[in-house]
Each structure stands twice: as C-alpha cells, then as structure tokens.
Amino acid sequence: SGFRGSTSLSPQKPSAPPGDPSGTPPLAPVLQLLRSQLQEKDALIRHLENDWERSRAQREREERLLVTAWYNMGLALQQHEGDTAAARGGGGGGA
C-alpha cells in the first residue's frame, strides 16, 4: 500500500505541467524584453558598422595623402638633384 501511495504521488507531478500554461503569459513580457534587447543590439551594430566605415574611409584618405607626399618628395628630390647637377655642369662650362 505504501508503494501505491508513492505511485499516486507521481501522477501529481504531471499535474504540475498544466500549471505551466498559466505560467505561459509571463513569457510575453520576456519576449518583449528580448526583442527590445535585440533591437538595441541591432542599433549598436549599425552604429559600429558606420563608425568602421568612416574609419576605413579616413584611413584610405590618409594612405593616399602619404603616397602623394612621398611621390612629390621623390619628384622634388630628383628635380633638386637635376638642378644641382645642371648648376655644377653649367658653372663648370662657364669657367
């Protein structure tokens, strides 16, 4: 009879899940909270992507400026060397 009493207790455990449907409505606020968190994270991702895009564009501009500066410096150096050689050659020819 004690064994039957323990089996009669286990059917009461399955009676707990019918209590779950009454616990289901609180899921709505949880879902709403999760949706709002997801929207916040999406907004953050978009913001970070925009920042990254601006940084990339800035870096590309800086790289172009550096390349242009090096190129111009090389041209100026070549021209200076040419002018110096011409001055030496012209000065030597004039003497």
Side-chain angles (χ1 to χ4, degrees):
S1 113
F3 182 74
R4 284 183 191 156
S6 66
T7 55
S8 71
L9 286 177
S10 59
Q12 288 175 359
K13 289 178 185 172
S15 72
D20 275 348
S22 68
T24 304
L27 274 181
V30 172
L31 286 175
Q32 186 58 43
L33 175 68
L34 291 174
R35 281 190 187 114
S36 66
Q37 287 177 351
L38 191 60
Q39 288 171 351
E40 288 172 13
K41 288 188 190 310
D42 281 344
L44 178 62
I45 288 171
R46 280 194 300 274
H47 177 71
L48 291 173
E49 284 174 344
N50 288 339
D51 280 355
W52 182 84
E53 197 61 41
R54 281 193 298 271
S55 296
R56 186 185 60 79
Q58 177 70 25
R59 192 168 54 250
E60 285 178 359
R61 281 193 298 272
E62 290 170 356
E63 286 173 2
R64 283 195 298 270
L65 285 171
L66 280 170
V67 169
T68 302
W70 274 104
Y71 178 77
N72 288 338
M73 198 168 69
L75 283 181
L77 188 59
Q78 282 181 345
Q79 186 178 6
H80 177 70
E81 287 174 354
D83 290 348
T84 304
R88 275 192 230 125

